[in-house]
Amino acid sequence: MAIAKKLFNTGLVLGGALGALALYNKVTETMAGELDTVLTGEERRYPWKYGDMFYEVKGSRDAKPLVLIHGFGPGASSYEWRKNIDTLSEQFRVFALDLLGFGLSDHPTIDYDAETYTDLLNDFIREVVGKPAIVVARGLTSAYVIAAAYRRPQLFERLILVGAPPTILTESYPGPLNALQKAVLRTPIIGQFIYNLMTSRQALRAYYDVKGYHNPGLITDEFVEYIYTSAHQPNSRHASAAFLSNNLQLDVHEPLARLQVPVVAVWGREGFLTPAEASAAFKRVNSRVDVRIIDKATLQVQDEQAGQFNNLVREFAGAAVK
């Protein structure tokens, strides 16, 4: 009888705790509000096998296609291209994507991995863009673009890799701890609670201060609010769980070594790795990679130094293919 009473009381405590966490999660989601794009373009959706992908398109139909693909991180979306799309659309037909599981795209509760996004990008460029494109990718998405361009070079005219991590050039497999991290984050109550703590306004401001910007003055209240709202769309934790648990890594050492599509790799001078270290890693694999370093920027080069970045894109896109 004593054991049964103890178990009953323990159950009450655990049930109450889970109930409190569930209430916190519900309140957090409700207070986040609805997300809307700040980009100026035509809003469209691409129906894919796992869900619809939101994208904006702007620029003349006859212009050369330019595809902008955001990096990963809490609240990531095409919002990071807000300082680029207007200027670049004067010369190109620009497609700015919200990858599946992020921003205004659907957030299916699938088991995301690197092939999910590689296939998505291949299909989008083949079915929507419809002709060879200049593709700009930031961060880890650089790996998917390299892999996609290696598999279907006829769809890619040039690649621009922004802040590509050298880790994509080495083998990296998720271990048992990574599997546990992903499993916990995908749980509906405890996982959602942990995710909500990791994506509070304070946590997001700290994350982008450390991981994103050389100039902290660019992390405004408006910026944090948009990222927060994006991070708290229903089921956002599933894609983030895959990213945080190392399940989105892709080794593209061999594809980059064999790639014939022209590539320019852009890094901010104040990044975690020195520009020399980052560029040397890519040059060792493919000596034809054109390296550009932009001062007073870390990972969000296209935002911190938008003018220089836009000029670089236009210059590289218009250069003769060697």
Side-chain angles (χ1 to χ4, degrees), residues 132-317:
I134 300 160
V135 180
V136 184
R138 193 186 67 76
L140 182 57
T141 57
S142 299
Y144 312 145
V145 169
I146 292 170
Y150 173 66
R151 296 172 189 177
R152 295 176 182 249
Q154 69 275 16
L155 297 178
F156 298 81
E157 182 175 314
R158 299 164 189 255
L159 305 185
I160 300 175
L161 313 179
V162 185
T167 53
I168 66 177
L169 304 178
T170 59
E171 291 186 7
S172 178
Y173 300 104
L177 182 58
N178 296 128
L180 178 61
Q181 289 173 327
K182 186 175 74 168
V184 171
L185 282 172
R186 285 176 62 89
T187 58
I189 297 179
I190 296 175
Q192 184 67 55
F193 176 72
I194 295 172
Y195 176 77
N196 286 338
L197 292 179
M198 295 170 60
T199 54
S200 67
R201 290 177 178 85
Q202 295 84 355
L204 289 173
R205 185 180 292 276
Y207 176 88
Y208 282 96
D209 185 30
V210 173
K211 296 262 186 186
Y213 288 87
H214 172 64
N215 178 8
L218 294 174
I219 309 173
T220 63
D221 291 343
E222 179 184 12
F223 171 91
V224 171
E225 197 59 35
Y226 190 92
I227 299 297
Y228 177 83
T229 303
S230 179
H232 289 278
Q233 297 306 293
N235 294 320
S236 290
R237 75 182 185 279
H238 293 283
S240 291
F243 171 62
L244 294 170
S245 61
N246 208 38
N247 278 268
L248 297 185
Q249 284 289 333
L250 181 64
D251 176 10
V252 290
H253 184 285
E254 191 65 21
L256 180 62
R258 296 172 176 269
L259 193 66
Q260 297 300 311
V261 177
V263 178
V264 63
V266 186
W267 285 281
R269 191 172 298 280
E270 283 70 37
F272 296 108
L273 285 176
T274 67
E277 290 175 313
S279 63
F282 279 76
K283 284 281 194 180
R284 279 195 298 269
V285 177
N286 187 328
S287 61
R288 297 184 303 276
V289 173
D290 184 4
V291 173
R292 306 293 181 88
I293 308 300
I294 295 182
D295 292 335
K296 297 181 180 179
T298 53
L299 297 181
Q300 299 280 350
V301 178
Q302 80 292 341
D303 186 4
E304 291 206 88
Q305 301 297 337
Q308 290 186 58
F309 180 80
N310 293 337
N311 289 337
L312 184 154
V313 172
R314 290 186 291 195
E315 172 197 341
F316 179 67

Side-chain angles (χ1 to χ4, degrees), residues 25-36 103-104 201 225-234 236:
N25 292 339
K26 185 64 177 177
V27 170
T28 299
E29 182 177 318
T30 302
M31 291 180 65
E34 294 186 6
L35 186 68
D36 195 10
L104 286 160
R201 290 177 178 85
E225 197 59 35
Y226 190 92
I227 299 297
Y228 177 83
T229 303
S230 179
H232 289 278
Q233 297 306 293
S236 290

